[in-house]
Amino acid sequence: MIILSVPGTIRMVLIIIAIFVIIRFIGRIMATKKSVENEKRFNQNNDAFRKAKEKSESEKGKVHIVEGGYREAEDVDFEEIKDNEKKG
């Protein structure tokens, strides 16, 4: 009876090892896929930031009048704040 269970035990151990190897392989594939997606997203954000910075630098000092902006602005009278009022 012991002789018959040894091959079955070895086969079961090999099956378990094979399952762990397959799971590790799938995990590495998933991690690689996620890494590629993160790198692509990072490059897109980096390119967008670089383009926005270049546009900002090229438009430095220029004034644009935009039609249809916020019309619910409230004008407030100017009041000068004295130094002792700032501290208190």
Side-chain angles (χ1 to χ4, degrees), residues 5-20:
S5 65
V6 171
T9 305
I10 293 173
R11 184 174 49 192
M12 184 62 68
V13 169
L14 290 175
I15 290 172
I16 291 172
I17 290 172
I19 290 173
F20 281 129

Side-chain angles (χ1 to χ4, degrees), residues 44-80:
Q44 287 175 347
N45 289 342
N46 198 12
D47 290 342
F49 174 76
R50 185 181 45 78
K51 287 178 184 178
K53 188 173 182 180
E54 288 174 0
K55 183 178 178 183
S56 174
E57 288 293 324
S58 68
E59 294 181 357
K60 197 171 196 178
K62 295 181 181 178
V63 177
H64 299 282
I65 298 175
V66 180
E67 295 291 328
Y70 293 105
R71 298 186 187 270
E72 298 180 17
E74 180 180 341
D75 293 329
V76 181
D77 292 332
F78 175 77
E79 294 181 21
E80 190 170 329

